[in-house]
């Protein structure tokens, strides 16, 4: 669920995506290793080959 919220937030600019970003920043220390590895892979992929719909790339760096 966390990974879906992240993927949504990377391509949207609304209250839901802002909430997802706040949650991930607050709770990243308690997420399991599998979830974090997928988060990192998703972010790395988007930052290396950003799609035109990637919103606010500076937020994810």
């Amino acid at each position: 669920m966390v990974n879906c919220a992240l993927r949504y937030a990377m391509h949207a600019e609304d209250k839901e995506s802002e909430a997802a970003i706040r949650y991930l920043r607050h709770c990243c220390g308690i997420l399991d290793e599998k979830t974090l590895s997928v988060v990192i892979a998703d972010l790395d992929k988007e930052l290396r080959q950003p799609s035109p719909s990637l919103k606010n790339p500076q937020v994810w760096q």
Side-chain angles (χ1 to χ4, degrees):
M1 190 181 229
V2 170
N3 298 107
C4 291
L6 169 70
R7 291 173 185 149
Y8 173 82
M10 287 192 294
H11 298 280
E13 290 185 280
D14 55 21
K15 290 183 181 184
E16 289 82 9
S17 63
E18 291 174 13
I21 293 166
R22 282 193 308 273
Y23 177 82
L24 287 167
R25 285 183 175 161
H26 178 73
C27 295
C28 68
I30 62 170
L31 298 174
D32 67 358
E33 189 173 323
K34 174 70 174 174
T35 301
L36 286 175
S37 67
V38 174
V39 166
I40 291 167
D42 285 351
L43 290 172
D44 188 51
K45 178 182 173 186
E46 283 294 335
L47 291 171
R48 289 182 189 269
Q49 300 172 347
S51 68
S53 63
L54 180 63
K55 303 298 182 192
N56 300 319
Q58 70 278 4
V59 169
W60 307 107
Q61 295 180 349

